[in-house]
Amino acid sequence: MIDLFDSQLVGGTVLLKNRIVMAPMTRTRTSDGDVPNELMATYYGQRASAGLIVAEATDVAPSSNGYAMTPGIYTDAQRQGWRLVTDQVHRNGGTIFLQLWHVGRMAHSSLMPNGEAPWGVTEERAESQVFAHGPDGKLDPIPAGKPRRLRTDEVFALINTFTQRCVQSREAGFDGVEIHGANGYLFEQFMNSVLNTRTDCFGGSSVENRTRFLLEVVEAAVRALGPGRVGVRLSPFGKFNGIPADPRTEETLLYVAERLGRLGVAYLHLVYELMPEANMEVAQFKANYLDHALLRKIRKAFSGAIIWCGGFTDRKSAQDALDTGLVDLIGFGRPYIANPDLAERLKHGWPIAEADRSTYYTRRGGTGYTDFPAFAMVRAACGAV
């Protein structure tokens, strides 16, 4: 029986010191030009006791900028900023992958180059909001803009863009990359059989066509970085960012899982989108979302490691998931905000702190970001022995 604190060799290449993954979380702390900075380096360095850190979703091009103050990796300044982060994580003994994304239609013209329309699989607008400049110029949640349909040659060009960013992520010091195929962003927009009504080689009823964009990007990433250095995140059955319910979700998921395994992908990161108002217990999550029957199918189809993320808040829930034998690593999201030493707290049964939601996305520097003390420091300050 594996334990949450056993090591894990991912992809035959990357050795993780435990089975705990810090999930990617947008925190809007970049400097001007969407440049990572010293503050972000401190934040990630504080959390380096996780077996794996997956850094927040990062734009591969200006056309991917769907939310204000999210980082990019397409300029020299951005790559130099990320080097501050990776150096700090490595000094603290951590392992860090970079999550690469393109938001697709989840954008607004106020954030796009020259005020152009967002890039879409089709011209259908997302019934959701983005964090962008409203009519008064202020940053607020506003409806996503109406996209324009990407031409076929532009999709092929994006594959090359992702390939370049994979190479540049290695130059910035990352141990690998995670391709963000989840949460209603561009890759999932292509894979969704209801939304994707294209008639070219990237669309239609064919699962091969709908998944072509993701799989070609992943294949190029593995060629560039090696099979142990590439992971993929998927959110099957999710409804985030206005992605429509898809009757072919399971078919698509199992097809992609099998193909990813053949390509040598290190891990498959499965995420359940817990909405703030849901307050869903992990037991309900297991029963209602990724049931064991489906996980067994995924395990059979995919030869790499599986990360299970969504709703895990303590050691017991994480260990129970590992005990099924169907997953290898457990992703923790929000608990990592207020607990930079989450791995140690889980290991020793120390209390888990909670963060103030109002500080999740802010430009107030380190407040609610890097100012959470490790529990050992709290004990020392209180005179505990």
Side-chain angles (χ1 to χ4, degrees):
M1 191 72 71
I2 61 174
D3 184 82
L4 186 62
F5 291 92
D6 288 343
S7 61
Q8 166 83 25
L9 186 64
V10 174
T13 303
V14 180
L15 182 63
L16 307 181
K17 57 193 170 188
N18 56 53
R19 305 297 181 103
I20 297 169
V21 177
M22 177 181 165
M25 292 178 289
T26 294
R27 300 301 308 278
T28 62
R29 287 329 201 267
T30 58
S31 299
D32 291 343
D34 297 331
V35 174
N37 49 44
E38 290 280 5
L39 184 67
M40 292 172 62
T42 298
Y43 169 77
Y44 283 109
Q46 290 172 336
R47 290 153 176 80
S49 59
L52 173 65
I53 294 174
V54 183
E56 62 206 88
T58 297
D59 294 318
V60 297
S63 64
S64 175
N65 190 6
Y67 300 88
M69 298 179 289
T70 54
I73 195 171
Y74 52 87
T75 70
D76 288 340
Q78 291 166 350
R79 292 188 285 274
Q80 291 167 10
W82 276 124
R83 190 79 207 201
L84 299 174
V85 174
T86 58
D87 284 349
Q88 187 63 45
V89 169
H90 292 149
R91 276 194 292 268
N92 292 354
T95 300
I96 184 167
F97 278 34
L98 179 64
Q99 189 184 71
L100 297 175
W101 73 345
H102 194 294
V103 301
R105 67 177 187 166
M106 284 305 303
H108 188 272
S109 60
S110 65
L111 294 173
M112 294 288 288
N114 303 313
E116 67 177 276
W119 292 12
V121 174
T122 66
E123 295 180 348
E124 185 174 340
R125 184 196 300 264
E127 296 299 326
S128 191
Q129 294 186 320
V130 297
F131 186 58
H133 298 280
D136 58 2
K138 294 181 180 180
L139 284 169
D140 282 303
I142 61 174
K146 181 176 174 57
R148 70 169 181 84
R149 179 187 180 277
L150 283 168
R151 301 188 311 269
T152 304
D153 65 296
E154 290 176 313
V155 182
F156 279 114
L158 266 179
I159 295 170
N160 292 331
T161 296
F162 271 92
T163 305
Q164 292 170 357
R165 302 304 174 249
C166 288
V167 173
Q168 290 165 338
S169 72
R170 180 176 57 199
E171 295 168 354
F174 286 97
D175 299 295
V177 301
E178 177 177 286
I179 305 300
H180 194 349
N183 303 108
Y185 297 114
L186 188 59
F187 287 109
E188 189 170 28
Q189 292 164 28
F190 271 93
M191 290 189 288
N192 187 281
S193 70
V194 175
L195 177 62
N196 186 349
T197 57
R198 300 171 67 98
T199 58
D200 63 0
C201 63
F202 292 102
S205 60
S206 163
V207 66
E208 292 84 2
N209 283 1
R210 288 184 286 106
T211 60
R212 187 185 307 277
F213 177 42
L214 172 67
L215 294 174
E216 292 206 11
V217 165
V218 171
E219 184 174 7
V222 172
R223 282 200 307 267
L225 300 178
R229 305 286 178 176
V230 180
V232 175
R233 195 180 213 210
L234 301 175
S235 57
F237 306 109
K239 298 180 181 178
F240 195 56
N241 286 327
I243 200 75
D246 184 354
R248 302 183 66 180
T249 294
E250 183 172 331
E251 172 197 353
T252 303
L253 172 63
L254 295 178
Y255 175 80
V256 168
E258 192 274 335
R259 288 293 307 277
L260 293 178
R262 277 198 275 158
L263 289 173
V265 165
Y267 68 77
L268 182 57
H269 189 172
L270 299 173
V271 59
Y272 174 66
E273 300 152 357
L274 275 179
M275 302 305 288
E277 66 274 12
N279 194 26
M280 183 179 288
E281 297 294 335
V282 171
Q284 293 174 301
F285 162 40
K286 289 180 179 178
N288 298 336
Y289 176 63
L290 283 177
D291 62 28
H292 290 184
L294 181 54
L295 276 174
R296 286 190 187 95
K297 294 178 184 178
I298 297 169
R299 175 66 100 183
K300 184 177 180 180
F302 180 68
S303 56
I306 296 176
I307 302 173
W308 193 356
C309 181
F312 294 104
T313 59
D314 56 31
R315 181 170 182 172
K316 184 180 186 304
S317 61
Q319 188 61 53
D320 285 348
L322 290 177
D323 288 346
T324 66
L326 300 175
V327 297
D328 305 284
L329 300 142
I330 303 298
F332 290 86
R334 285 193 291 270
Y336 255 112
I337 293 177
N339 301 277
D341 57 338
L342 181 65
E344 290 84 358
R345 291 183 187 237
L346 294 174
K347 187 172 186 177
H348 298 291
W350 295 338
I352 305 298
E354 292 189 14
D356 178 358
R357 277 187 177 277
S358 69
T359 66
Y360 280 10
Y361 315 107
T362 178
R363 296 212 79 165
R364 287 183 285 178
T367 303
Y369 190 59
T370 57
D371 57 350
F372 296 105
F375 187 73
M377 295 173 59
V378 175
R379 285 165 57 93
C382 294
V385 296

